[in-house]
Amino acid sequence: MSILVVGSVAFDTIETPSGRAERCLGGAATYFALAASYFTHVRVIGVVGEDFTEEHESILKARDIDTRGIEHVDGKSFFWSGSYHDNLNEAKTLSTELNVFESFSPKIPAEYANSEHLFLANIDPVLQERVRSQMPNVRIVCGDTMNYWITGHRANLEKVLKGLDVLLINDTEAKLLADDANLVRAADRVLSMGPKSLVVKHGEYGATAFFSEESFTGKPHITLPFRAPALPLSEVFDPTGAGDSFAGGFFGSLAAAGELTPAAFKTAMFYGGVMGSFAVERFGTERTQQLTREEIDQRFALFRELSHLD
Amino acid sequence: MSILVVGSVAFDTIETPSGRAERCLGGAATYFALAASYFTHVRVIGVVGEDFTEEHESILKARDIDTRGIEHVDGKSFFWSGSYHDNLNEAKTLSTELNVFESFSPKIPAEYANSEHLFLANIDPVLQERVRSQMPNVRIVCGDTMNYWITGHRANLEKVLKGLDVLLINDTEAKLLADDANLVRAADRVLSMGPKSLVVKHGEYGATAFFSEESFTGKPHITLPFRAPALPLSEVFDPTGAGDSFAGGFFGSLAAAGELTPAAFKTAMFYGGVMGSFAVERFGTERTQQLTREEIDQRFALFRELSHLD
């Protein structure tokens, strides 16, 4: 039940009202892999520079994450710096240095070929499609994208969307992709582009899943959306990676369940929220790299209590 | 188990992307009373002018709402006109004519004195307090307010807050009242002002309830917040009255339960969402005035399916 994730492994310098962190280990693949590692085995494909040391790699290895697909090349790793001083829901990017990521060409190690689950983190859709096409036997494919690819690389993105079992994006991205400000109509439009289901993340308000008739491998199909809550938090230390941690918890849980059923999907939505809620409690990956499965399941119970009538 | 509601009875001219409606029957007390009438007996205190005819009154009477507390005076009824063309979540007010509402002085008919539940809709906190103080034996008091009273009439509002069992406001109002942009901290601050519990309405994202140690009449107390979903809708015809309809469904359900327990509160939150979701499906009170309890309970089941794991 391995998940293969392809995406960025990076360093982030982050400013929030709670403080500042210099060059934390970050990147979508990192957050995703750490969050998913509590549910299933995870393999990473990415590229790093000389500044990515054994110490950084050990953070992933400590969670039993397979790092053989992280290519080491000359130069510096992807670096991002951002500030959340004005708005905890949206980072103000202070600088982006693609560095070695600029010429990233994902290579799939032979040992990864039997992965049953594939997560295409937010990278160039051309690269997403290349990886997807090299994994013909993968059972479930989830993907992410962002405004930059939606507006500037739509034709390439549309090819990727056709091959997705689940697209995970936020409200703004869903509405932009569909060119419709109403979420339900936007979801219908996005589903008509190919993904079998759509998870829209609402930040502090949780997430909503929308289903097509092809969402599930077995009967019964469901067409009613599903809403998972987020945990009301009195302090958000650092929102960086919350969306990727949601994706990791969601897809990790789904992969562990083995089958794409409505019940497994709903449970996965809750675990997505759980992992997102941990991610923002400390800077960078600090909280997510040191959890126990017991803490995760306690919080899952909290999410249920928070939203269930009985 | 009667609810007494004091608030505006008005006429609204509304423009939305779905159309335009001229001089619909509206006002907070109207929406609240219609929504609550499916759960319990409702009595209204308000003031109207000569333009409020028997035809309008019959809309309330058809729902067995007691209108003896609606005072008829010379002049025109409160009139509001607004547009939602730019933003379905926030009306742009085109005109407000207070008319007979300007000198509104609520009078409680003798027949209303035994009401066990009181809803103070969004009116001048001086009037809210005056009604509250004349109902010393009321068992549960819910109230609403808005930015205008929070910023300009805070001392008067704070007196009202001390006497509330439940304050129902939206995110913006809660954050303004607490002067804190974090919802959880804002809720703590608001609860410290007196209301025993706080329901924050998030529009299309549902609502969250926050509890103090005095929230419930009996044990067990709960401190974890509770989140109720909203129904994802592909078309919002007219958002006017959604918040008051939520309040009507919420308090109607709570009053019918008779006791302020965690289970009754959670169920009431769901019925609030249900009545809010009906309100926006047609212009004005058109949908809310013609429901059946069966339709309401079917939608309640939908809300459960939308948010529950099993």
Side-chain angles (χ1 to χ4, degrees), chain A residues 144-197:
Chain A
D144 186 10
T145 191
M146 71 184 290
N147 292 357
Y148 178 77
W149 310 116
I150 294 170
T151 50
H153 297 72
R154 182 172 283 256
N156 294 334
L157 178 61
E158 283 180 358
K159 284 183 207 159
V160 176
L161 295 181
K162 288 191 210 309
L164 293 184
D165 293 287
V166 189
L167 174 64
L168 287 118
I169 50 182
N170 67 30
D171 285 84
T172 310
E173 290 155 357
K175 291 172 181 178
L176 183 70
L177 182 56
D179 191 23
D180 196 319
N182 175 284
L183 184 63
V184 177
R185 289 196 308 261
D188 279 348
R189 177 90 189 84
V190 170
L191 289 174
S192 77
M193 297 177 188
K196 290 180 185 161
S197 53

Side-chain angles (χ1 to χ4, degrees), chain A:
Chain A
M1 293 299 169
S2 285
I3 298 181
L4 173 60
V5 51
V6 54
S8 59
V9 177
F11 292 102
D12 298 333
T13 291
I14 301 155
E15 290 174 25
T16 83
S18 305
R20 180 184 163 90
E22 294 272 354
R23 294 186 62 78
C24 309
L25 179 61
T30 305
Y31 281 104
F32 176 92
L34 286 170
S37 72
Y38 292 92
F39 301 88
T40 192
H41 186 62
V42 185
R43 297 157 165 172
V44 182
I45 292 181
V47 63
V48 293
E50 293 146 290
D51 47 1
F52 184 87
T53 63
E54 277 186 32
E55 193 192 326
H56 300 115
E57 196 148 348
S58 71
I59 293 174
L60 300 172
K61 285 184 167 168
R63 292 290 323 137
D64 201 26
I65 294 165
D66 194 332
T67 58
R68 284 176 291 181
I70 299 181
E71 191 184 355
H72 293 253
V73 301
D74 291 346
K76 291 171 81 177
S77 301
F78 185 6
F79 173 77
W80 176 81
S81 116
S83 155
Y84 298 87
H85 276 294
D86 298 329
N87 182 353
L88 276 169
N89 292 313
E90 203 172 345
K92 184 181 165 191
T93 292
L94 302 174
S95 90
T96 303
E97 300 168 17
L98 289 175
N99 298 326
V100 301
F101 200 69
E102 194 158 12
S103 51
F104 178 40
S105 177
K107 293 166 196 67
I108 303 171
E111 301 91 338
Y112 283 15
N114 66 346
S115 307
E116 291 178 293
H117 302 92
L118 174 62
F119 185 72
L120 304 168
N122 169 33
I123 56 172
D124 186 337
V126 170
L127 302 184
Q128 290 180 316
E129 185 55 26
R130 197 181 300 162
V131 173
R132 171 76 185 84
S133 65
Q134 289 176 69
M135 307 282 291
N137 298 319
V138 79
R139 290 179 56 223
I140 308 180
V141 186
C142 288
D144 186 10
T145 191
M146 71 184 290
N147 292 357
Y148 178 77
W149 310 116
I150 294 170
T151 50
H153 297 72
R154 182 172 283 256
N156 294 334
L157 178 61
E158 283 180 358
K159 284 183 207 159
V160 176
L161 295 181
K162 288 191 210 309
L164 293 184
D165 293 287
V166 189
L167 174 64
L168 287 118
I169 50 182
N170 67 30
D171 285 84
T172 310
E173 290 155 357
K175 291 172 181 178
L176 183 70
L177 182 56
D179 191 23
D180 196 319
N182 175 284
L183 184 63
V184 177
R185 289 196 308 261
D188 279 348
R189 177 90 189 84
V190 170
L191 289 174
S192 77
M193 297 177 188
K196 290 180 185 161
S197 53
L198 169 67
V199 173
V200 182
K201 296 169 284 179
H202 312 310
E204 65 171 317
Y205 298 119
T208 306
F210 295 90
F211 306 109
S212 72
E213 284 183 12
E214 287 80 39
S215 290
F216 302 107
T217 43
K219 302 252 172 196
H221 294 307
I222 53 171
T223 50
L224 188 69
F226 184 72
R227 292 208 141 167
L231 190 67
L233 292 167
S234 61
E235 186 159 11
V236 171
F237 264 79
D238 172 16
T240 313
D244 297 310
S245 302
F246 180 102
F250 169 81
F251 202 20
S253 167
L254 204 59
E259 263 214 296
L260 233 167
T261 64
F265 202 109
K266 291 175 181 183
T267 301
M269 291 279 291
F270 269 58
Y271 275 119
V274 165
M275 297 312 291
S277 76
F278 281 124
V280 304
E281 286 186 352
R282 297 279 182 282
F283 275 97
T285 61
E286 196 182 329
R287 186 80 171 107
T288 309
Q289 71 192 50
Q290 290 182 328
L291 290 165
T292 64
R293 184 61 199 247
E294 194 186 357
E295 286 177 297
I296 291 169
D297 286 333
Q298 276 171 358
R299 187 158 294 185
F300 182 92
L302 212 62
F303 268 66
R304 176 189 276 268
E305 205 180 326
L306 183 76
S307 59
H308 281 46
L309 290 168
D310 33 45

Side-chain angles (χ1 to χ4, degrees), chain B residues 159-236:
Chain B
K159 284 182 207 160
V160 176
L161 295 181
K162 288 191 210 310
L164 293 183
D165 293 286
V166 189
L167 173 65
L168 288 117
I169 50 181
N170 67 29
D171 285 84
T172 310
E173 291 156 355
K175 290 172 182 178
L176 184 69
L177 182 55
D179 191 24
D180 196 317
N182 175 283
L183 184 63
V184 178
R185 289 196 308 259
D188 280 348
R189 177 89 188 84
V190 170
L191 289 174
S192 77
M193 297 177 190
K196 291 181 184 161
S197 53
L198 168 68
V199 173
V200 182
K201 295 168 285 178
H202 312 308
E204 65 171 315
Y205 298 119
T208 307
F210 296 90
F211 306 109
S212 72
E213 284 184 12
E214 288 79 40
S215 290
F216 302 107
T217 43
K219 301 256 172 192
H221 293 308
I222 53 171
T223 51
L224 189 68
F226 184 72
R227 292 208 141 167
L231 190 67
L233 293 166
S234 61
E235 186 159 11
V236 171

Side-chain angles (χ1 to χ4, degrees), chain B residues 13-307:
Chain B
T13 290
I14 302 155
E15 290 175 24
T16 83
S18 305
R20 179 184 163 90
E22 294 273 353
R23 294 187 62 78
C24 309
L25 179 61
T30 305
Y31 281 105
F32 176 91
L34 286 170
S37 72
Y38 293 92
F39 302 88
T40 192
H41 186 62
V42 185
R43 298 156 164 174
V44 181
I45 292 181
V47 64
V48 294
E50 292 145 289
D51 47 1
F52 185 88
T53 64
E54 276 185 32
E55 192 192 327
H56 301 115
E57 196 148 347
S58 71
I59 293 174
L60 300 172
K61 284 184 167 167
R63 292 289 324 137
D64 201 25
I65 294 165
D66 194 331
T67 59
R68 285 177 289 182
I70 299 181
E71 190 183 357
H72 294 253
V73 301
D74 290 347
K76 291 172 79 178
S77 301
F78 185 4
F79 174 77
W80 176 81
S81 117
S83 154
Y84 298 88
H85 277 293
D86 299 328
N87 182 354
L88 275 169
N89 292 314
E90 203 171 345
K92 183 181 166 192
T93 292
L94 300 174
S95 91
T96 303
E97 299 167 18
L98 288 176
N99 299 325
V100 300
F101 200 68
E102 194 159 11
S103 50
F104 178 39
S105 177
K107 294 166 195 67
I108 304 171
E111 302 91 339
Y112 285 14
N114 66 346
S115 307
E116 291 177 293
H117 302 92
L118 174 63
F119 186 71
L120 304 167
N122 169 34
I123 56 172
D124 186 336
V126 169
L127 301 184
Q128 291 180 315
E129 185 56 23
R130 197 180 302 163
V131 173
R132 171 75 183 84
S133 66
Q134 289 176 69
M135 306 282 293
N137 298 319
V138 79
R139 289 179 56 223
I140 308 180
V141 186
C142 287
D144 186 10
T145 192
M146 69 184 292
N147 291 358
Y148 178 77
W149 309 116
I150 294 169
T151 50
H153 297 71
R154 182 172 284 256
N156 294 334
L157 178 60
E158 284 180 357
K159 284 182 207 160
V160 176
L161 295 181
K162 288 191 210 310
L164 293 183
D165 293 286
V166 189
L167 173 65
L168 288 117
I169 50 181
N170 67 29
D171 285 84
T172 310
E173 291 156 355
K175 290 172 182 178
L176 184 69
L177 182 55
D179 191 24
D180 196 317
N182 175 283
L183 184 63
V184 178
R185 289 196 308 259
D188 280 348
R189 177 89 188 84
V190 170
L191 289 174
S192 77
M193 297 177 190
K196 291 181 184 161
S197 53
L198 168 68
V199 173
V200 182
K201 295 168 285 178
H202 312 308
E204 65 171 315
Y205 298 119
T208 307
F210 296 90
F211 306 109
S212 72
E213 284 184 12
E214 288 79 40
S215 290
F216 302 107
T217 43
K219 301 256 172 192
H221 293 308
I222 53 171
T223 51
L224 189 68
F226 184 72
R227 292 208 141 167
L231 190 67
L233 293 166
S234 61
E235 186 159 11
V236 171
F237 263 78
D238 172 15
T240 312
D244 297 311
S245 302
F246 180 101
F250 169 81
F251 202 21
S253 166
L254 204 59
E259 263 215 295
L260 233 167
T261 64
F265 202 109
K266 291 175 181 182
T267 301
M269 291 279 290
F270 269 57
Y271 275 119
V274 165
M275 298 312 292
S277 76
F278 282 123
V280 304
E281 285 185 353
R282 296 280 182 282
F283 275 96
T285 60
E286 196 183 329
R287 185 81 171 107
T288 308
Q289 70 192 51
Q290 290 181 328
L291 290 165
T292 65
R293 184 61 199 249
E294 194 186 356
E295 287 177 294
I296 291 168
D297 286 334
Q298 276 171 359
R299 186 157 294 183
F300 183 91
L302 212 63
F303 268 66
R304 177 189 276 269
E305 205 180 326
L306 182 77
S307 58

